[in-house]
Amino acid sequence: MNDLVRQHTALSDTDLEWLHLLVSEWQLLSDLSFADLVLWVPTRDGTRYVSVAQMRPNTGPTSYQDDMVGHLVPRGRRPLLDAALDEGRIVREGDPEWREEVPVRVESIPVRRDGRVLGVIARNTNLLTVRTPSRLELTYLQSASDLAQMIAAGSFPFPGQQVDMDASPRVGDGLIRLDADGIVQYASPNGLSAYHRLGLASDLVGHHLGTVTAELAPSRGPVDEALVKMASGYAPREFEVECAGGVIQLRAIPLKPKGVRIGSLVLLRDVTELRRRERELITKDATIREIHHRVKNNLQTVAALLRLQSRRMDSEQGREALNEAVRRVGSIAIVHETLSQNLDERVEFDEIADRVIAMVSEISPGKVTCRRIGRFGILDAEVATPLSMVLTEVLQNALEHAFTLADHGTVEVSAVRGGSPTEGRLLITVTDDGRGLPEGFDPKQAGNLGLQIVRTLVEGELGGAFGMVPAPERGTQVVLDLPVQGLK
């Protein structure tokens, strides 16, 4: 719609925002009218109309099988559009049109904003299935007529009240029509069923909806006056009412076809099961986070016990082995700590990588600097846990074997994401400028426990490739090529 309006018309950005607000609401008018809606806006030179939006009803058959958006028609070809635009009134006169052997009643509703007519809504009703209307259909049509008059007067939609139609109640979910005092004139079967779910044992017609709603809602004190007012439809509001029997979502729409409120339209939907599932998901998420938090605490306890044990050992080699185990357990604990703070099983691995680098840097034998460049991005938990261990082992290996106590050096961790989010790769290189690999060293045959862990995790669990080669200038470079999925 933005492109069509800016290309063909002289409407301002504020006018365009008004049309967007109208289009976000007009499913309501379409469903109440049992009719298709097409929004026509005059072109910049005033010689033609361009259709910028279209809506089909959920309550009846469509009048248009084809998409009308983008069509241009010259002024004069559709007299009802001309009359509504020029005279600023709803135009209903005229015989039905025949489209593919289907009779269609056409009406035109001017769209007004701040006293100016911006365009015209063509309301097209398929008459092929017309029958004697029921009380429900008569209520629908009367409400549609009131809304159409409000659009023509510029009082609907309501400024600052943009509604998410996917989340709000629709006409078919349940409808209640109130008079100016908030007394129920009509309640659709679905609307009445929703109130029965809340505990209403009688009919709604003839009762004050605000008072009934407040009495059904649980309260330890006096009647909730705010709830009474909201359910009475004095102002456009969307709210929920919950009691032991269920939850209903309500949307109140004041009806002011001639500038004075004559009543209200209340749309409502039973959202009991939806809210129950949402609570279950919230509980599940909270449980998962608590599990990760407890696993992290347990791992930290294990690390503390290993650290205590290492201090009691006389063997230097044994102490070092236990300290390595402490760092391995710590890297896994970091992942679980991050997962305990998230709502899903994904983590931003850059934070984890930085903490692993800081943890391993504590064993640096000399003045060696560790730094990260590039981004790991967001990774699934099943990738993050083994990858944190791999990164710990590779960094630990570099710091222990590449430098002496007197060395100054650098260890650089580089991460590059490539490919699509669903079929991507993560290329990690860990490069040091230390003494380099011993002559004849083969990383695939090396018996070092750390390298064995790396090979097993990278090739077995992560399904990637592991390589260890001389760095381009000096030192050693470890290359990890991993398949990853998820967001970058």
Side-chain angles (χ1 to χ4, degrees):
M1 186 167 73
N2 286 355
D3 294 339
L4 288 171
V5 168
R6 287 169 179 153
Q7 179 182 354
H8 295 285
T9 78
L11 296 182
S12 65
D13 288 342
T14 52
D15 293 333
L16 179 57
E17 284 300 315
W18 183 261
L19 295 185
H20 274 293
L21 188 59
L22 172 65
V23 168
S24 73
E25 294 272 26
W26 71 344
Q27 180 73 64
L28 173 62
L29 177 62
S30 178
D31 290 345
L32 290 172
S33 304
F34 309 98
D36 292 74
L37 306 178
V38 180
L39 178 58
W40 297 92
V41 179
T43 57
R44 191 173 286 104
D45 58 10
T47 61
R48 295 181 296 174
Y49 297 96
V50 58
S51 59
V52 298
Q54 178 179 358
M55 178 57 66
R56 292 183 174 91
N58 294 318
T59 52
T62 183
S63 302
Y64 286 110
Q65 298 299 327
D66 300 325
D67 190 0
M68 294 297 296
V69 175
H71 282 214
L72 289 161
V73 297
R75 185 177 171 88
R77 180 174 294 179
R78 302 194 176 184
L80 270 64
L81 293 182
D82 298 338
L85 183 69
D86 296 338
E87 301 172 23
R89 65 180 179 89
I90 298 174
V91 182
R92 294 191 176 93
E93 55 264 21
D95 297 327
E97 297 181 2
W98 287 84
R99 300 174 188 163
E100 300 179 355
E101 300 184 354
V102 176
V104 177
R105 182 175 64 242
V106 181
E107 304 166 272
S108 296
I109 305 168
V111 177
R112 193 184 303 273
R113 174 183 174 271
D114 291 342
R116 297 164 41 244
V117 177
L118 307 182
V120 179
I121 295 176
R123 182 163 56 177
N124 304 269
T125 307
N126 187 325
L127 300 177
L128 198 61
T129 58
V130 169
R131 62 186 186 278
T132 302
S134 64
R135 178 72 188 280
L136 180 143
E137 290 167 331
L138 289 173
T139 303
Y140 276 22
L141 293 172
Q142 180 57 55
S143 302
S145 176
D146 294 335
L147 285 177
Q149 292 182 58
M150 292 169 65
I151 292 173
S155 57
F156 186 84
F158 304 110
Q161 292 287 329
Q162 187 157 357
V163 174
D164 181 3
M165 290 306 297
D166 292 332
S168 293
R170 299 196 176 213
V171 170
D173 295 329
L175 177 145
I176 297 174
R177 175 79 186 227
L178 309 179
D179 65 12
D181 296 322
I183 305 299
V184 178
Q185 295 180 309
Y186 175 79
S188 72
N190 284 347
L192 190 57
S193 295
Y195 265 82
H196 285 165
R197 185 72 178 264
L198 290 182
L200 180 69
S202 61
D203 196 0
L204 272 173
V205 176
H207 295 276
H208 190 279
L209 185 66
T211 303
V212 170
T213 305
E215 289 174 350
L216 291 172
S219 176
R220 297 181 180 177
V223 173
D224 188 338
E225 295 296 336
L227 183 57
V228 171
K229 191 167 184 178
M230 284 191 294
S232 301
Y234 289 105
R237 290 287 186 273
E238 189 166 324
F239 56 99
E240 289 187 1
V241 176
E242 180 175 0
C243 68
V247 186
I248 62 171
Q249 182 183 20
L250 299 97
R251 183 189 175 200
I253 304 168
L255 297 176
K256 303 176 181 179
K258 296 181 180 180
V260 178
R261 193 175 72 86
I262 63 168
S264 303
L265 196 63
V266 178
L267 304 180
L268 64 157
R269 177 173 59 168
D270 184 347
V271 293
T272 304
E273 291 304 312
L274 178 63
R275 296 296 176 260
R276 181 185 63 80
R277 289 196 298 269
E278 288 177 351
R279 290 190 184 100
E280 287 179 350
L281 288 174
I282 292 172
T283 303
K284 180 181 176 182
D285 289 339
T287 302
I288 291 173
R289 289 198 300 272
E290 178 62 20
I291 289 172
H292 284 303
H293 180 71
R294 293 189 182 188
V295 169
K296 182 263 296 183
N297 288 344
N298 290 339
L299 289 171
Q300 288 179 337
T301 301
V302 171
L305 292 173
L306 291 173
R307 197 176 293 113
L308 285 172
Q309 186 66 39
S310 71
R311 292 171 184 168
R312 293 174 175 269
M313 294 195 69
D314 297 328
S315 168
E316 182 65 29
Q317 187 177 5
R319 276 200 303 272
E320 186 54 38
L322 286 177
N323 287 333
E324 288 182 4
V326 168
R327 287 188 286 272
R328 287 165 186 152
V329 172
S331 66
I332 301 174
I334 290 172
V335 176
H336 282 282
E337 181 178 5
T338 305
L339 288 169
S340 70
Q341 300 168 358
N342 292 343
L343 294 176
D344 55 22
E345 290 293 292
R346 293 171 178 265
V347 294
E348 176 63 64
F349 197 79
D350 295 320
E351 178 186 349
I352 294 174
D354 291 341
R355 293 180 64 179
V356 167
I357 290 171
M359 178 182 67
V360 179
S361 296
E362 295 175 359
I363 68 168
S364 173
K367 297 182 178 179
V368 180
T369 302
C370 295
R371 64 169 179 260
R372 171 180 63 87
I373 62 173
R375 291 190 65 247
F376 288 86
I378 299 175
L379 299 176
D380 291 333
E382 58 263 27
V383 175
T385 301
L387 182 55
S388 67
M389 285 194 65
V390 168
L391 190 58
T392 300
E393 296 298 333
V394 172
L395 288 171
Q396 189 168 286
N397 190 70
L399 291 173
E400 285 184 351
H401 302 292
F403 304 97
T404 66
L405 289 174
D407 286 341
H408 290 66
T410 301
V411 179
E412 185 177 89
V413 180
S414 171
V416 178
R417 293 286 286 264
S420 67
T422 56
E423 298 180 358
R425 309 291 299 183
L426 173 59
L427 183 65
I428 304 168
T429 57
V430 179
T431 308
D432 67 69
D433 55 3
R435 69 184 69 176
L437 294 172
E439 186 175 348
F441 179 81
D442 183 0
K444 294 184 178 180
Q445 301 297 325
N448 179 287
L449 177 60
L451 291 181
Q452 289 180 9
I453 291 174
V454 171
R455 282 199 305 271
T456 300
L457 292 177
V458 171
E459 297 174 357
E461 189 163 343
L462 296 175
F466 162 67
M468 195 171 186
V469 298
E473 297 182 2
R474 58 171 295 188
T476 305
Q477 187 173 76
V478 175
V479 181
L480 308 172
D481 187 2
L482 308 175
V484 294
Q485 294 182 353
L487 303 175
K488 293 184 178 181

